[in-house]
Amino acid sequence: MNTQENNLRFSRRNFLRTSALASGGLLVGFNLFTACKSEAKPPVDIANLNFNDFNAFIQIADNGYVSIFSPNPEIGQGVKTSMPMIIAEELDVEWDKVNVVQAKYNKKEYTRQVAGGSQSIRFGWDALRQTGATTKQMLINAAAVKWGVDASTCKASKGIITNEKGETLGYGDVVKEAASLEVPENVKLKKPSEYTIIGKDAINVDLKNIVTGKPLFGLDYKAEGMSYVSVLRPPAFGQTLVSFDDTETKKVTGVTQVVKFGDKVAVLGTNTWAAMKGKKALKAEWSSNKDLENTEDHNRILNGILDGKDFEVRRNDGNVASAFKAADKVIERTYHSPFLPHNCLEPMNFYADVTSERVHLVGPIQTPQWTAGRIAKLLNREENEIELEMTRMGGGFGRRLYGDFALEAAEISNLSKKPVKVVFSREDDMTDGIYRPAIKYRIAASIKDGKITGYHLKEAAVNGNMYDLIPNFFPAGCIPNYKVSTKNYQSKITTGAWRAPYTNFLAYAEQSFFDEIAEELGIDPLQLRIDLLQNVKNTTDEKIEYSGQRMENTIKLVEEKSNWKEQKEGVYKGFAAYYSHNTHVAEVAEIEMKDGLPVVKKVVAAVDCGIVVNPTGAINQIQGGVLDGIGHAMYGDFSFKNGKPSKKNFDTYRLIRMNETPQVEVHFVQNELSPTGLGEPGLPPAGGAVANAIYKAMNSRLYSQPFVKELEENKTEVRG
């Protein structure tokens, strides 16, 4: 069983490089994910630094200030702050003397420059600490040489090295000497009790620039001679372009060029307004496909899949059929979820300048390496000709994993022979997206002598859900006869990862189902989960992803902090717990009735993510995930008719509103285990906790998202 202690292996020689600077400083290169190529060499002189040669390093200036270049994309998850905090902790410098800089993409030195899966801190933890500690020891050794004493008699703190005589040297005083010394082999890492930066609140390093409107995001980027581009895409999934007329488009002031590529037409202009207005003036004829898809058809097909056979079995413990046959009772329920768009605050955008010498790309992207490789293939160029700069992202949630917008920019620049910036409107963003797939789950459980003896989860999904880990999450290992089966329907509608993939809807379905079983058995819902977890706490099954003990600890913490057993008149509590992206989370939602309507007033969350690096950032991540989970579970509804999305903008697509957001109280399980991710794990339990609370408030079980739609269909209104 994976208990998430994350003792990741790495080689000191593979991630650490040093070099003297002409200015008298020290340059230390490191790989955040233990993936630095052994042949990578840092530049000798910071003045002539070329990020294409080396893009992840610490720079220590002779005045003692430290610059840390972060190679991973910043998507709002806070890694640009928390990862440098880990280095600064072991380096033993004051946080206010650290400058953090976003580096460019560079395949030569890195194999995992990705923002996704809540994995950055987990994978970087050991290498980052080792880098900081090794650099600190090199500086101590240099000071010892300068003093003519044994390094073991010296110590460092807050950027100052002290010997037994009380003499001191700043880091900046010895950087030149340190660069000439060998890298020490075995350095001592701090104990958690010695931390002065990790575990303390730190303000996001980009906060000042964000609130003062400094250019950080892709939409902010400008280049001389750049054209803005708006793209006309097929109005329905499954349609193709037959012909187009750009006569009226070319009359629009500011439109400079019209370019066809594939089934799309790009309008170039001197500003976004001209390009978008020009696109609206285009007249296009599209193929009349009689087989365009509808949500009604999807529902029918997915129900047919659940009623049929020929599933792919993902896990099969014991004999579910025998358990069901021998049961006193079998409970079966079906849960439904719609497609969902991502709706990032910053719509998709990307800059590209394709010339004979290079392909220069700038913009917000979660997968720079994959995107650069695809663009190289598209343009028939060598990958070393691709120069990609990453901007801060105004939200991603999985949408910016795919880079289709970056490929568009590169192709348009290549055809137009101009530097261009593709900018999606909100309508473009919502109607030409990569959506969370529509999914249906059918869950059945057998009960014998007051115990759950069998469990069968069946999934039917449009294009297939990301089900690699579903079979090995809770309740795998808890129930002796356990089976997970999946089957999908192939659609022309593009689908992909959406925040907390494969668990964002499954957690609600399973946690609602377990509450229903608890009621059937007459057991407290929390106690039912704790009883089940006893069966997996000592498992030797390496496939099981979660920790029974850590999940139990998390449940007990939320039970305490939410005063679960306290009954307050007019307050209805719902519980859910889930493990995703290596983190255990339990949540209790509180519902009150107002004017006959249920209102979500408060959510208490307990989280086991190991050591918390930046408490402020960690709390924000959980709060954001909970609110996102509640908002989409309550209101998120998206459908298709004749291949076209039913909603194009926020006037018809319902999101949670400011006055509907409940208080979210966050508590962390205290331990000294290696940290795990927080960007996604807070979302999955939220929908289940709210659904279970609504049941207690209204005596109405919910089997479909969005909840408000199901309640309205039952002639009951709700607000969150």
Side-chain angles (χ1 to χ4, degrees):
M1 180 179 64
N2 182 359
T3 59
Q4 306 308 319
E5 294 188 24
N6 302 317
N7 294 318
L8 303 178
R9 297 180 180 179
F10 59 92
S11 166
R12 179 187 61 85
R13 296 185 183 278
N14 282 349
F15 79 82
L16 198 56
R17 297 288 181 271
T18 64
S19 177
L21 302 177
S23 61
L26 170 67
L27 186 67
V28 181
F30 66 95
N31 170 30
L32 298 185
F33 299 102
T34 70
C36 195
K37 302 299 180 61
S38 58
E39 69 272 14
K41 299 184 186 306
V44 173
D45 194 332
I46 192 71
N48 298 315
L49 182 64
N50 183 333
F51 288 128
N52 285 327
D53 294 330
F54 193 79
N55 84 324
F57 58 87
I58 302 171
Q59 176 198 344
I60 302 177
D62 52 11
N63 63 2
Y65 278 77
V66 178
S67 290
I68 300 175
F69 282 68
S70 178
N72 267 59
E74 173 56 57
I75 198 172
Q77 79 280 47
V79 295
K80 192 176 175 183
T81 302
S82 55
M83 297 180 89
M85 286 175 68
I86 298 169
I87 298 170
E89 179 66 72
E90 295 290 353
L91 183 59
D92 237 323
V93 294
E94 293 180 289
W95 181 242
D96 60 4
K97 290 188 176 181
V98 173
N99 179 45
V100 180
V101 182
Q102 178 69 60
K104 296 181 182 180
Y105 157 70
N106 192 318
K107 182 182 177 181
K108 184 178 179 182
E109 276 80 39
Y110 290 92
T111 58
R112 195 189 185 278
Q113 251 180 308
V114 177
S118 300
Q119 298 296 304
S120 296
I121 294 296
R122 176 174 175 253
F123 276 96
W125 175 249
D126 287 330
L128 293 168
R129 288 190 301 150
Q130 189 78 14
T131 297
T134 302
T135 306
K136 171 184 168 182
Q137 189 59 53
M138 291 172 63
L139 295 163
I140 290 174
N141 292 349
V145 170
K146 204 166 188 176
W147 283 321
V149 301
D150 193 286
S152 64
T153 65
C154 304
K155 60 183 180 180
S157 178
K158 297 182 179 181
I160 302 296
I161 306 162
T162 308
N163 63 23
E164 287 183 320
K165 297 179 181 179
E167 297 172 314
T168 61
L169 287 170
Y171 283 179
D173 298 325
V174 295
V175 289
K176 185 175 181 180
E177 291 83 355
S180 65
L181 300 179
E182 289 190 8
V183 177
E185 287 289 344
N186 299 309
V187 298
K188 183 179 179 181
L189 299 177
K190 287 185 177 181
K191 299 176 182 177
S193 59
E194 299 172 319
Y195 291 160
T196 59
I197 295 176
I198 293 174
K200 304 296 188 296
D201 291 334
I203 296 174
N204 188 298
V205 295
D206 283 338
L207 183 61
K208 183 178 180 180
N209 287 336
I210 291 171
V211 299
T212 56
K214 296 295 189 297
L216 288 171
F217 300 92
L219 283 175
D220 297 324
Y221 186 80
K222 296 179 182 179
E224 186 176 351
M226 178 183 81
S227 293
Y228 292 87
V229 179
S230 185
V231 177
L232 180 69
R233 304 173 180 87
F237 288 91
Q239 283 191 315
T240 55
L241 180 66
V242 175
S243 64
F244 73 97
D245 181 354
D246 61 2
T247 303
E248 295 302 315
T249 296
K250 290 180 177 178
K251 295 178 181 179
V252 174
T253 302
V255 170
T256 58
Q257 194 172 354
V258 178
V259 176
K260 177 185 178 297
F261 63 112
D263 285 313
K264 305 173 185 179
V265 183
V267 177
L268 284 67
T270 55
N271 53 67
T272 54
W273 176 247
M276 290 179 179
K277 189 176 180 181
K279 182 185 75 172
K280 288 183 179 180
L282 278 171
K283 296 177 182 179
E285 181 184 353
W286 306 95
S287 63
S288 56
N289 192 327
K290 296 181 180 180
D291 298 321
L292 298 178
E293 298 175 48
N294 296 285
T295 291
E296 289 182 1
D297 295 332
H298 294 149
N299 287 331
R300 175 180 50 79
I301 292 168
L302 295 182
N303 283 331
I305 288 174
L306 291 176
D307 292 335
K309 300 179 181 179
D310 301 323
F311 282 83
E312 185 171 350
V313 176
R314 301 289 172 178
R315 185 176 177 120
N316 194 4
D317 300 343
N319 191 320
V320 169
S322 295
F324 283 14
K325 187 175 181 180
D328 298 327
K329 186 171 185 177
V330 174
I331 299 175
E332 182 179 274
R333 300 290 184 265
T334 302
Y335 300 85
H336 315 263
S337 72
F339 290 92
L340 284 182
H342 292 83
N343 285 326
C344 308
L345 183 61
E346 177 193 23
M348 301 304 106
N349 65 91
F350 223 79
Y351 169 85
D353 184 14
V354 180
T355 65
S356 58
E357 291 79 25
R358 67 168 184 168
V359 178
H360 183 208
L361 307 168
V362 184
I365 186 70
Q366 292 179 243
T367 51
Q369 180 174 332
W370 184 45
T371 300
R374 291 163 68 206
I375 288 174
K377 185 176 180 180
L378 172 71
L379 302 178
N380 195 26
R381 303 286 289 262
E382 297 296 325
E383 284 197 44
N384 60 13
E385 297 179 75
I386 309 296
E387 180 184 343
L388 193 156
E389 298 179 49
M390 294 171 287
T391 63
R392 188 180 178 93
M393 288 173 258
F397 314 115
R399 177 63 182 92
R400 286 189 162 96
L401 288 170
Y402 299 98
D404 48 293
F405 42 91
L407 270 71
E408 285 185 350
E411 188 170 3
I412 295 165
S413 176
N414 188 50
L415 292 170
S416 66
K417 309 303 179 186
K418 295 178 180 177
V420 302
K421 182 176 177 181
V422 169
V423 179
F424 281 45
S425 66
R426 177 59 60 192
E427 287 81 3
D428 293 333
D429 211 41
M430 197 175 291
T431 59
D432 193 63
I434 295 177
Y435 310 97
R436 184 186 81 171
I439 303 171
K440 294 183 186 290
Y441 288 113
R442 182 165 294 166
I443 310 175
S446 58
I447 298 173
K448 178 71 173 179
D449 299 329
K451 302 289 185 182
I452 304 174
T453 58
Y455 189 92
H456 190 187
L457 169 68
K458 292 197 292 186
E459 176 193 86
V462 174
N463 291 336
N465 192 20
M466 303 181 71
Y467 40 60
D468 292 342
L469 296 177
I470 285 176
N472 303 309
F473 285 2
F474 178 84
C478 293
I479 300 170
N481 304 291
Y482 173 77
K483 189 175 183 178
V484 177
S485 308
T486 64
K487 190 174 181 179
N488 62 68
Y489 162 71
Q490 291 302 315
S491 167
K492 293 179 181 178
I493 297 169
T494 51
T495 61
W498 190 92
R499 190 174 188 176
Y502 51 72
T503 61
N504 50 54
F505 173 65
L506 175 62
Y508 145 69
E510 286 194 314
Q511 291 299 300
S512 297
F513 186 71
F514 275 109
D515 253 44
E516 203 162 340
I517 293 177
E519 185 179 43
E520 175 70 28
L521 297 175
I523 300 175
D524 178 85
L526 277 73
Q527 192 59 50
L528 174 65
R529 273 73 159 195
I530 291 173
D531 290 345
L532 287 170
L533 289 168
Q534 304 315 304
N535 300 323
V536 76
K537 283 165 67 172
N538 297 313
T539 185
T540 57
D541 186 346
E542 292 294 332
K543 292 182 179 179
I544 291 178
E545 293 289 323
Y546 67 99
S547 163
Q549 185 61 64
R550 295 181 74 171
M551 181 60 82
E552 181 179 338
N553 293 344
T554 307
I555 292 172
K556 288 181 176 178
L557 180 60
V558 84
E559 179 180 26
E560 172 196 344
K561 297 300 183 180
S562 68
N563 297 312
W564 170 256
K565 294 180 180 178
E566 179 183 80
Q567 299 295 321
K568 270 189 182 180
E569 186 177 353
V571 177
Y572 306 90
K573 297 178 181 178
F575 165 80
Y578 215 72
Y579 163 90
S580 69
H581 296 82
N582 312 106
T583 295
H584 302 77
V585 181
E587 296 174 8
V588 170
E590 294 184 2
I591 294 283
E592 294 180 14
M593 299 297 294
K594 186 176 181 181
D595 300 327
L597 306 176
V599 180
V600 184
K601 299 294 289 185
K602 183 179 181 180
V603 175
V604 180
V607 182
D608 183 352
C609 61
I611 294 170
V612 178
V613 177
N614 181 7
T616 294
I619 290 170
N620 289 342
Q621 288 300 304
I622 294 298
Q623 289 175 331
V626 169
L627 296 179
D628 199 6
I630 292 173
H632 282 92
M634 292 285 286
Y635 307 113
D637 192 20
F638 202 76
S639 58
F640 290 84
K641 186 173 183 179
N642 295 325
K644 296 182 180 181
S646 60
K647 298 175 175 63
K648 297 182 178 181
N649 212 320
F650 294 142
D651 58 336
T652 54
Y653 183 77
R654 181 79 157 85
L655 291 169
I656 192 170
R657 297 174 179 136
M658 289 291 288
N659 65 338
E660 296 167 337
T661 57
Q663 175 190 357
V664 181
E665 183 180 300
V666 183
H667 303 274
F668 294 100
V669 175
Q670 299 300 310
N671 58 44
E672 295 185 358
L673 299 175
S674 298
T676 53
L678 285 174
E680 293 164 292
L683 185 148
V690 169
N692 291 332
I694 288 175
Y695 169 71
K696 290 183 179 178
M698 304 183 69
N699 197 33
S700 177
R701 292 282 181 195
L702 300 173
Y703 299 104
S704 297
Q705 290 186 0
F707 299 157
V708 67
K709 184 177 181 180
E710 184 172 359
L711 288 161
E712 286 173 349
E713 288 174 354
N714 293 331
K715 297 183 179 179
T716 306
E717 293 182 328
V718 64
R719 71 175 178 226

